[in-house]
Amino acid sequence: MAGTSNPTQIDGQLFEFLLRQGDNVLVLGHRTSEWCGVAPALEEDIALTNTALDLIGQTQLWLGYAGEVEGKGRSANDLAFLRDVYDFRNVLMLEVPNEDFGRTLMRQFLFDAFQVPWLTALCASSNQNVADIAAKSVKEAIYHLDRSTETVIALGDGTEESNARMQSALDYLWPYVGELFGEDDVDKAMHEAGVAPMPATLRGDWETTVNSTLSQACLTLPDSKFAHSGGRTGFRHTEHLGHMLATMQTLQRSYPGAAW
Amino acid sequence: MAGTSNPTQIDGQLFEFLLRQGDNVLVLGHRTSEWCGVAPALEEDIALTNTALDLIGQTQLWLGYAGEVEGKGRSANDLAFLRDVYDFRNVLMLEVPNEDFGRTLMRQFLFDAFQVPWLTALCASSNQNVADIAAKSVKEAIYHLDRSTETVIALGDGTEESNARMQSALDYLWPYVGELFGEDDVDKAMHEAGVAPMPATLRGDWETTVNSTLSQACLTLPDSKFAHSGGRTGFRHTEHLGHMLATMQTLQRSYPGAAW
Amino acid sequence: PAKLAAFQVRIDAGEKIEPKDWMPEGYRKTLIRQVGQHAHSEIVGQLPEGNWITRAPTLERKANLLAKVQDEAGHGLYLYCAAETLGVSRDEMTEMLLDGRMKYSSIFNYPTLTWADMGAVGWLVDGAAIMNQVPLQRTSYGPYARAMVRVCKEESFHQRQGFHIMMAMVNGNAEQKRMAQDALNRTWYPALMMFGPSDKDSVHSSQSMAWKIKINTNDELRQKFVDETVPQAEYLGLTIPDEGLTWNEETGHYDYTEPDWNEFFDVISGNGPCNVDRLSARQKAWDDGAWLRDAMTAHAAKKATRNLAAE
Amino acid sequence: PAKLAAFQVRIDAGEKIEPKDWMPEGYRKTLIRQVGQHAHSEIVGQLPEGNWITRAPTLERKANLLAKVQDEAGHGLYLYCAAETLGVSRDEMTEMLLDGRMKYSSIFNYPTLTWADMGAVGWLVDGAAIMNQVPLQRTSYGPYARAMVRVCKEESFHQRQGFHIMMAMVNGNAEQKRMAQDALNRTWYPALMMFGPSDKDSVHSSQSMAWKIKINTNDELRQKFVDETVPQAEYLGLTIPDEGLTWNEETGHYDYTEPDWNEFFDVISGNGPCNVDRLSARQKAWDDGAWLRDAMTAHAAKKATRNLAAE
C-alpha cells in the first residue's frame, strides 16, 4: 500500500501528519484555556475549561507519538514549547484570537463537527497508535460537539444581539474552514498507507452537521467558497500565532533545560 | 562623603540606582511603543512614537552605564532582554497597561512632571556619567512635559466624556505616584555620595506642576494618600510586567546568543 | 426568645439547621455574609492562578493548573448554591461583590509574579484555606457543611500539588531556587493574614462561635498553620522570612512575628496591590458576558414556549 | 476641449499643475484615487511592521523600527495633505478606506511572521516601493511630486535598513538563516505583485501615462526590480523561490516566472491573508480614537472663544 515511498519518507510524512493532529489540539486548547476564570458564567467557565483539559490531554498523546516517530528524542513538551511559528502545523482557524465568547464557541463547533467524523475514521487506522489515540479522543470530541452544538443553537436563537454576534463569528471564521479539508502529499501518503482517509471525503458529513445546526441557530451560511491556507503546511500562519507562542513558551525559552 | 560604605557597596548601590533610571525609561518606552501605528490620530501617533524613541535612547545610556558599573560584561541589551521580573527596578506606574490613550497620556504627564526636575538635579551629579546622561535626557523630558501637559489640558477640558476618561485615568494612577518619591538605602547612599538628591525633595516642585495643570484640565486630585510600592526595589511588581517581558524578550530568550 | 433558646439547644446538640427550619435573622445574615464571601473568594481566587495558565511551563502543569482553577469555579458554584438556600440569588451576590458591599479573601489581592507562585499559592494559600475550612465541615448550617465536605477534599489535593511545584523548583537550577524563595518571601505574611486579625481585634467572633458558624479562633488556626508549615519549609530548604521565628519548648509551638496589620487593613479597604485590577477583571467578565446570559435566558424561554405549543 | 488641449500642452511641456489651476475632472479623480491609495498604503503599511515593535530583539532594532513606522505615518500625512489640495478631506478618505471604497497596496495584506520579515519587508517591499515612487517625483501634479521627493529620500534609507537586517540574519546562526530564506520565500511573489498586473491587463494605464500621473508601465518596473534584486539575493546567499529564474543574454534581463495573478485578484477583492484583520485594526483605532478627536476639537473651540472674549 505504501506505493513508491521508502520507509524514511513515510516516517517523515507520518511525523507531519501527527504534528497536524497534535498542533490542532494544542493551539485550540491554548485559546480555550484563555477563558479560564473569565468566562461569561460559571457553568460556561467550567465546561470550557473541561474542553481545554481534554484538548491538552490529546496533545500529549499526539505530540508524544510524533516525537517517537521522529526519533530524535523530542518529547511532547519539547515539540509544544520549543518550536517557532513555521514549524507549527495547525489549521489557521484555531489560532485566530478568541474575540468574544460567541466566536470561541462557533469555532469550537465548526472544529468539533470535523473532529467527530475524522477521529471516528482514524479509529480504523492501519497504524495502531493512531487508532488508539483516536479511540480515546473521539469520545471526548463527541461530548464537545454535543455541547458546542447546543450552545451555538442557543446563542443563534437567543436575542437579536446574540444572533448578530454569532453571524459575525461565522462570517469571520468561514474563510478558514476550507483548510480542514485540504489535500497534499502528506494526506495522500497517509491515505495510501491506510493511516487516514483523505480529509475531503468528510466534507459531506461535516456539511450535514453544520447545515442542520446553523439552520436551527437561525444563522446564514456565507456563500463565499474562498479558503485560506498555510497553517497545516506551515508555509504561512497568521500573525496571531507568534504572539500566542511568545506567551505560551516564555518559561521554557527563558530557562532552557529546566525541569518544572 | 561616602561615609562608611566601602567601594563595592557603593558600586552595588550605584548599579541599583542606574537600573531604576534605565528600567523606568525602558518600561515606559515599551508601553508607549505599543501605540505605534494604532493611535487615535496621525499627529498623536507621530508624537508618541517620538517619545518612545527618546525613551529607548535614554535606556541605552542608563543601562549601558549600569552594565559598566556592574562589571560583569552585561550590555544594555543583556540587561533589557535577559532579566526576569524581580530584577526590574522601574516604578509600578510605568508598567500598568496603557488602557486608553487618556491613561497613557496622563501617566506620561505624571512621569514627565517628575523627570524634568529630577533630571535637572542629576545634571549636577557628582558622577560625571550620570550628569552627562541627565543633561542629554532632560532636554527631551522638557519637550515631553510640554506636550503631555498640553494634551492633558486639552483632554480634561474637552468634552464631558474626555473629562470623565481623564479623571478615571488620574484616579487609577494616583496610588502609584507616591513610589516616585520613595526613599531607601540606595537613595540615601546616592544622596550621601552626591550622585542624586533624595527623590522626596522634589515632591513640592512636582505638586506645583501637577496642581496647576490638573486645575487647567478641570480635573480633581484624588484625596487618598495611599502609595503602592515594590517596583523600585523589585520586591513586588504588578502582574502586568511579566506579560510585557514575555513579549519583549521573546527573541532573545528563544535564540540565546544570536546576534540581530 | 423561646424560639431562639430552642434554636441554640439544637445547635448545642450538634443538629444541622436546614433551609426550611426557623433561624434567627442574625444567623441568616451572618451566614450569607460568610458563605457569600467564601464563594466570592473562590471566584476571585481564580484570577491569580489563571494569570499563569497561558504561561504554564509544561503540558502537565498546564493541565493541573486548569483543573485546579476549574475546581475553584466548582467550589464557587456549590457555595453560591448553599447561599441561595438562605434567600439570596447568585446574581444579587455578584452585584454586591462588584459594588463592594461583599468582600473576598484579602489574599487574592496579591499578585502572582513567577511560576513559583503557583507552588506557593497551592502550598501556603490552599494550606491556610484548608486549616480554615476543615472545621467548617462541622458547621451548624447543613448546606454549608455539606458544601465544605466537597471543597475540603479537593483543596487538600491542591495543596499537595502546590507543594510538588515547590519541590520541583527547589530541586531545580539556581534561578528556580531563587524563584521559590522569592515566592515564599512574598506569600508568607499574606498567608498568615488569611486567618483574620488577632482574636482580641476580631469582630463577630463570639456569637459566630456560639452558633457554630465559626469553630476555632483566628489565632488558634494561625498557630496551627505556622506549626505545620515551618517543618515543610525546612524540608524544602527554604527560609521563612521571619527572623523572630523560634521553637518555644514551653508552649510546644513556634513563636512568630505578627504580620503587619496595617497592611492587612489597607488591603481590606481597597488598597491591596491588586484590588482594583481584580474587581475590574470580574466586572469586565460580567459586563462582557451579559449578552450571552441574556441570550441563554431568551432561548430557554423560546424553547419552553415551543414545547408548550407542541403539547 | 480647448481647455483640455491647453492642459495637455502644459503637461507635455513638463509644467507642474498646481491646486488652483484648472484641471480635467478625470485628472482630479484619478489623482485622488492614486494619492489616496498611496496615503492609505502608508497607514495600513504601519501594521505589519508595527506587529514586531514590541518584540524587536535589541534596543537598537526597536528604535530603528519605531523610527521607520513613524516615517510611514509622516508619509501618510504628506500624502493626505497632497490629496486634500484636490478637494477631499483626510476624514473623508479615512471613511472611504474603512468602508472599502478606497484601496491600499495589496502587499500589506500579507502577515509578518518572523523577525526576518522586518528584513524582507525593508529590502523587497520598500525596494519595490522605491522603484514605483522614484519616477513619481516627476509626476505632473505639483503637490504630489513634492511629497514624493520627501518620501523617496526616506524610503531608500528604509530599504538599506531592511537589507542590513537580512545581512545580520544570513550571517547569524542556522535558525536565523532559515528565517531569512523563509521570509524571502513568502515575500518574493507578493513583492512582484506590487507593480500591478501585466500591462496588457492593466486598466487606467494609458490615460494616466499621458497625464504623467504614471510614468512607467508595470512590467517595465517589475523587470527593473527583478534585475536589481537577483544579485542582492546572491550576495546574501539566499535563493529566490523561482526555478524559472534565468539570465537572458539576449535581452540583458532576467527571465522570471509571473506571480499567481489569481492570488493577486483574491487579495485585491478582500481575500488576502490579512485583509479583514488589517481593516479591523484600522477601524478599531478610528473608533477608539473618536472621543479624543472630539475632545481636541471641543477644546480648540473653547480656547478660541476664550481668546475672543479676552480681546
Side-chain angles (χ1 to χ4, degrees):
Chain A
M1 271 174 294
T4 54
S5 305
N6 65 40
T8 319
Q9 256 180 343
I10 275 289
D11 273 3
Q13 284 167 324
L14 181 59
F15 177 63
E16 286 284 314
F17 170 83
L18 294 169
L19 287 184
R20 289 176 185 184
Q21 312 314 310
D23 289 345
N24 275 351
V25 284
L26 170 61
V27 166
L28 183 60
H30 187 91
R31 283 291 184 221
T32 311
S33 78
E34 291 173 355
W35 279 106
C36 188
V38 292
L42 269 179
E43 290 80 357
E44 304 308 318
D45 202 317
I46 293 172
L48 207 59
T49 302
N50 224 34
T51 304
L53 274 168
D54 288 344
L55 295 171
I56 289 164
Q58 295 173 16
T59 305
Q60 293 177 296
L61 299 173
W62 289 118
L63 293 187
Y65 182 40
E68 278 178 43
V69 168
E70 190 195 29
K72 294 183 183 169
R74 291 204 280 182
S75 67
N77 283 325
D78 292 339
L79 289 170
F81 294 97
L82 299 173
R83 282 179 297 152
D84 207 338
V85 272
Y86 45 24
D87 289 326
F88 272 73
R89 295 293 181 265
N90 58 286
V91 295
L92 301 175
M93 182 170 76
L94 306 179
E95 72 196 35
V96 300
N98 289 330
E99 191 80 11
D100 66 1
F101 204 80
R103 192 199 279 177
T104 305
L105 260 292
M106 180 59 80
R107 164 167 62 192
Q108 186 71 44
F109 165 69
L110 295 170
F111 181 66
D112 293 341
F114 174 80
Q115 283 294 80
V116 169
W118 174 246
L119 293 169
T120 304
L122 294 188
C123 289
S125 175
S126 65
N127 179 311
Q128 194 54 48
N129 287 308
V130 169
D132 290 345
I133 299 173
K136 190 187 169 303
S137 304
V138 73
K139 287 180 213 143
E140 296 168 347
I142 289 170
Y143 177 77
H144 299 165
L145 178 58
D146 279 355
R147 242 204 88 80
S148 61
T149 300
E150 202 182 309
T151 314
V152 164
I153 292 173
L155 296 179
D157 178 42
T159 62
E160 210 173 305
E161 181 184 359
S162 74
N163 179 272
R165 280 175 181 262
M166 296 310 280
Q167 186 65 52
S168 112
L170 180 60
D171 294 346
Y172 180 86
L173 294 168
W174 196 250
Y176 292 103
V177 302
E179 196 185 11
L180 289 167
F181 306 102
E183 84 177 46
D184 63 10
D185 289 349
V186 173
D187 298 306
K188 284 179 200 146
M190 292 304 107
H191 175 54
E192 280 173 30
V195 173
M198 293 298 284
T201 59
L202 302 178
R203 181 131 201 172
D205 267 10
W206 182 84
E207 280 178 356
T208 306
T209 312
V210 168
N211 291 346
S212 138
T213 301
L214 294 185
S215 110
Q216 290 176 74
C218 315
L219 297 171
T220 311
L221 278 178
D223 57 14
S224 158
K225 291 271 178 237
F226 180 80
H228 290 297
S229 63
R232 62 203 297 277
T233 61
F235 178 68
R236 190 168 56 216
H237 279 278
T238 70
E239 287 176 358
H240 309 293
L241 183 61
H243 294 276
M244 175 195 288
L245 296 184
T247 300
M248 183 171 104
Q249 301 181 335
T250 180
L251 280 174
Q252 288 275 357
R253 297 294 201 177
S254 299
Y255 300 99
W260 303 93
Chain B
M1 271 176 295
T4 56
S5 306
N6 65 40
T8 318
Q9 256 180 342
I10 273 290
D11 273 3
Q13 286 167 323
L14 180 60
F15 177 63
E16 286 284 313
F17 170 82
L18 294 169
L19 287 184
R20 290 176 183 184
Q21 312 313 310
D23 289 345
N24 276 351
V25 285
L26 171 61
V27 166
L28 183 61
H30 187 90
R31 283 290 183 223
T32 311
S33 78
E34 292 174 354
W35 279 106
C36 187
V38 291
L42 269 179
E43 289 80 356
E44 304 308 319
D45 203 318
I46 293 171
L48 208 58
T49 302
N50 223 35
T51 304
L53 274 168
D54 288 343
L55 295 172
I56 289 164
Q58 295 172 15
T59 304
Q60 293 176 295
L61 300 174
W62 289 117
L63 294 186
Y65 181 42
E68 278 178 44
V69 168
E70 190 195 29
K72 294 183 181 168
R74 292 204 280 182
S75 67
N77 283 324
D78 292 338
L79 289 171
F81 294 98
L82 300 173
R83 281 179 299 153
D84 206 338
V85 272
Y86 46 25
D87 289 326
F88 272 74
R89 295 293 181 262
N90 58 286
V91 294
L92 301 174
M93 181 170 78
L94 306 179
E95 71 196 37
V96 300
N98 289 330
E99 191 79 10
D100 66 0
F101 205 79
R103 192 198 280 176
T104 305
L105 259 293
M106 180 58 81
R107 164 167 62 194
Q108 186 71 45
F109 165 70
L110 295 171
F111 181 66
D112 293 341
F114 173 80
Q115 284 293 83
V116 169
W118 174 247
L119 293 169
T120 304
L122 293 188
C123 289
S125 175
S126 64
N127 179 310
Q128 192 56 46
N129 286 308
V130 169
D132 289 347
I133 299 173
K136 191 188 168 303
S137 304
V138 72
K139 286 180 213 143
E140 297 168 345
I142 288 169
Y143 178 77
H144 299 164
L145 178 59
D146 279 353
R147 242 203 88 80
S148 61
T149 300
E150 202 183 310
T151 313
V152 163
I153 292 173
L155 297 179
D157 178 43
T159 62
E160 210 173 304
E161 182 184 358
S162 73
N163 179 271
R165 281 176 181 262
M166 297 309 280
Q167 184 67 51
S168 113
L170 179 61
D171 294 345
Y172 180 85
L173 294 169
W174 196 251
Y176 292 103
V177 302
E179 197 185 9
L180 289 167
F181 306 101
E183 85 176 45
D184 62 10
D185 288 350
V186 173
D187 297 306
K188 284 178 201 147
M190 291 304 108
H191 176 54
E192 281 174 29
V195 173
M198 293 299 282
T201 59
L202 302 177
R203 181 131 200 172
D205 266 11
W206 182 84
E207 279 178 358
T208 307
T209 312
V210 167
N211 291 347
S212 139
T213 301
L214 295 185
S215 110
Q216 289 176 74
C218 315
L219 297 171
T220 313
L221 278 180
D223 57 16
S224 157
K225 292 270 175 235
F226 180 79
H228 289 299
S229 63
R232 61 203 298 276
T233 61
F235 178 69
R236 190 167 58 215
H237 280 276
T238 71
E239 287 177 358
H240 308 293
L241 183 61
H243 293 276
M244 174 195 287
L245 296 184
T247 300
M248 183 172 104
Q249 300 181 337
T250 180
L251 281 174
Q252 287 276 357
R253 297 294 201 175
S254 299
Y255 300 99
W260 302 93
Chain C
K3 267 183 165 174
L4 201 64
F7 180 79
Q8 191 64 49
V9 168
R10 293 189 60 195
I11 300 258
D12 294 342
E15 279 183 47
K16 291 288 179 237
I17 310 301
E18 293 301 329
K20 291 186 175 162
D21 297 349
W22 182 87
M23 61 187 83
E25 217 27 52
Y27 179 84
R28 182 189 304 276
K29 271 197 189 154
T30 307
L31 263 175
I32 288 180
R33 189 171 50 77
Q34 183 171 329
V35 182
Q37 178 165 331
H38 192 162
H40 295 325
S41 296
E42 297 286 354
I43 300 310
V44 177
Q46 294 182 282
L47 298 172
E49 287 172 294
N51 183 40
W52 280 91
I53 284 177
T54 58
R55 292 177 292 172
T58 67
L59 295 167
E60 296 73 20
R61 291 295 184 199
K62 186 182 192 126
N64 292 345
L65 194 53
L66 274 167
K68 181 177 175 191
V69 180
Q70 189 188 33
D71 284 346
E72 285 158 9
H75 298 174
L77 211 48
Y78 310 155
L79 288 161
Y80 282 127
C81 289
E84 281 182 326
T85 64
L86 293 159
V88 54
S89 76
R90 199 206 302 179
D91 283 6
E92 282 175 85
M93 282 185 279
T94 301
E95 277 159 25
M96 288 193 274
L97 167 68
L98 295 177
D99 68 17
R101 276 175 294 158
M102 286 183 93
K103 301 285 182 196
Y104 54 90
S105 173
S106 60
I107 189 73
F108 302 119
N109 289 314
Y110 289 87
T112 56
L113 299 178
T114 73
W115 176 253
D117 287 354
M118 298 302 97
V121 167
W123 171 37
L124 300 173
V125 175
D126 288 294
I130 293 169
M131 210 76 46
N132 267 326
Q133 291 166 3
V134 164
L136 292 177
Q137 297 178 90
R138 295 178 284 116
T139 193
S140 62
Y141 188 60
Y144 187 29
R146 290 188 292 274
M148 290 319 296
V149 172
R150 301 179 66 177
V151 168
C152 284
K153 210 182 298 173
E154 294 177 351
E155 292 286 10
S156 67
F157 180 74
H158 296 165
Q159 199 214 356
R160 269 203 306 282
Q161 196 173 289
F163 193 76
H164 287 147
I165 291 178
M166 285 311 253
M167 289 269 286
M169 301 294 284
V170 299
N171 291 322
N173 62 32
E175 276 288 348
Q176 290 175 298
K177 279 177 207 148
R178 186 182 159 206
M179 275 184 213
Q181 182 63 53
D182 169 72
L184 174 56
N185 292 350
R186 283 182 288 102
T187 313
W188 175 252
Y189 285 110
L192 291 191
M193 293 178 197
M194 286 177 70
F195 300 95
S198 184
D199 297 338
K200 57 186 188 301
D201 305 319
S202 178
V203 280
H204 312 298
S205 270
S206 58
Q207 178 62 74
S208 289
M209 290 184 77
W211 277 335
K212 291 193 187 162
I213 294 174
K214 193 175 166 102
I215 313 285
N216 303 87
T217 74
N218 296 348
D219 286 333
E220 276 168 27
L221 292 169
R222 184 163 23 243
Q223 184 67 57
K224 192 162 181 309
F225 175 76
V226 171
D227 291 346
E228 287 195 12
T229 305
V230 171
Q232 293 168 351
E234 279 167 9
Y235 179 80
L236 290 169
L238 295 174
T239 308
I240 287 177
D242 176 1
E243 294 188 1
L245 190 79
T246 45
W247 176 249
N248 184 326
E249 284 287 354
E250 264 173 64
T251 60
H253 293 293
Y254 284 95
D255 291 341
Y256 60 91
T257 306
E258 287 280 309
D260 176 358
W261 292 110
N262 289 330
E263 179 178 318
F264 176 78
F265 291 110
D266 268 338
V267 174
I268 288 290
S269 67
N271 283 325
C274 304
N275 298 50
V276 173
D277 288 347
R278 295 287 183 245
L279 271 186
S280 70
R282 290 313 310 162
Q283 183 77 54
K284 184 173 185 309
W286 184 247
D287 294 346
D288 289 356
W291 71 272
L292 182 133
R293 295 189 303 273
D294 291 348
M296 291 291 192
T297 312
H299 175 70
K302 283 189 197 174
K303 232 165 95 175
T305 314
R306 280 197 291 263
N307 288 345
L308 208 64
E311 270 169 21
Chain D
K3 267 183 166 174
L4 202 65
F7 180 79
Q8 191 63 49
V9 168
R10 292 189 60 195
I11 301 261
D12 293 344
E15 280 183 44
K16 293 288 181 233
I17 310 301
E18 295 299 332
K20 292 188 177 166
D21 296 349
W22 181 88
M23 61 187 83
E25 217 27 54
Y27 179 85
R28 182 188 303 274
K29 272 195 189 155
T30 307
L31 263 176
I32 288 178
R33 189 171 51 77
Q34 182 172 329
V35 182
Q37 178 164 331
H38 192 163
H40 295 325
S41 297
E42 298 284 354
I43 299 311
V44 178
Q46 294 181 283
L47 298 173
E49 288 172 294
N51 184 41
W52 280 90
I53 285 177
T54 56
R55 292 177 291 170
T58 65
L59 295 167
E60 296 73 19
R61 291 297 184 198
K62 186 181 193 128
N64 291 345
L65 194 53
L66 274 168
K68 181 176 175 193
V69 179
Q70 187 188 33
D71 283 347
E72 285 158 11
H75 298 175
L77 210 50
Y78 309 155
L79 288 160
Y80 282 127
C81 290
E84 282 182 327
T85 64
L86 293 157
V88 54
S89 76
R90 200 208 297 184
D91 283 6
E92 283 175 86
M93 285 185 278
T94 301
E95 276 159 24
M96 288 194 273
L97 166 68
L98 295 178
D99 68 18
R101 278 176 292 159
M102 286 183 93
K103 302 285 182 196
Y104 55 90
S105 173
S106 60
I107 189 72
F108 302 119
N109 290 313
Y110 288 89
T112 54
L113 300 177
T114 72
W115 176 254
D117 287 354
M118 297 303 97
V121 166
W123 172 36
L124 300 173
V125 175
D126 288 292
I130 292 168
M131 209 72 50
N132 267 326
Q133 290 166 4
V134 163
L136 292 177
Q137 297 180 89
R138 294 178 285 116
T139 193
S140 61
Y141 188 60
Y144 188 29
R146 289 188 292 271
M148 291 318 297
V149 173
R150 299 179 68 175
V151 169
C152 284
K153 209 180 300 173
E154 294 177 350
E155 292 286 10
S156 67
F157 178 73
H158 296 165
Q159 199 215 357
R160 269 203 307 281
Q161 196 172 291
F163 194 76
H164 285 148
I165 291 177
M166 286 311 253
M167 290 270 286
M169 301 295 282
V170 300
N171 291 324
N173 63 32
E175 276 290 347
Q176 289 176 299
K177 281 178 204 147
R178 185 180 162 210
M179 276 184 212
Q181 181 63 52
D182 169 72
L184 174 57
N185 293 349
R186 283 182 288 101
T187 314
W188 175 252
Y189 285 111
L192 291 191
M193 292 178 196
M194 285 177 70
F195 300 95
S198 183
D199 296 340
K200 57 187 186 302
D201 304 319
S202 177
V203 281
H204 313 298
S205 269
S206 58
Q207 179 61 74
S208 287
M209 290 185 75
W211 277 336
K212 292 194 186 160
I213 294 174
K214 194 178 166 104
I215 312 285
N216 302 88
T217 75
N218 296 348
D219 286 334
E220 277 169 25
L221 292 170
R222 185 163 24 243
Q223 184 66 58
K224 190 162 185 302
F225 175 76
V226 172
D227 291 345
E228 288 196 9
T229 306
V230 171
Q232 293 168 350
E234 280 168 8
Y235 179 80
L236 290 169
L238 296 173
T239 309
I240 286 175
D242 176 2
E243 294 188 1
L245 190 80
T246 46
W247 175 251
N248 185 325
E249 283 286 356
E250 265 173 65
T251 59
H253 293 292
Y254 284 95
D255 291 339
Y256 61 90
T257 306
E258 286 280 310
D260 175 357
W261 292 110
N262 289 329
E263 179 179 318
F264 176 78
F265 291 111
D266 269 338
V267 175
I268 289 289
S269 68
N271 283 325
C274 303
N275 298 51
V276 172
D277 287 346
R278 295 287 184 246
L279 273 186
S280 68
R282 290 313 311 163
Q283 183 76 55
K284 185 173 184 312
W286 183 245
D287 294 346
D288 289 355
W291 71 273
L292 182 133
R293 296 189 302 273
D294 291 348
M296 291 290 193
T297 312
H299 176 69
K302 284 189 199 175
K303 232 165 95 177
T305 313
R306 279 198 291 263
N307 289 347
L308 208 62
E311 269 169 24

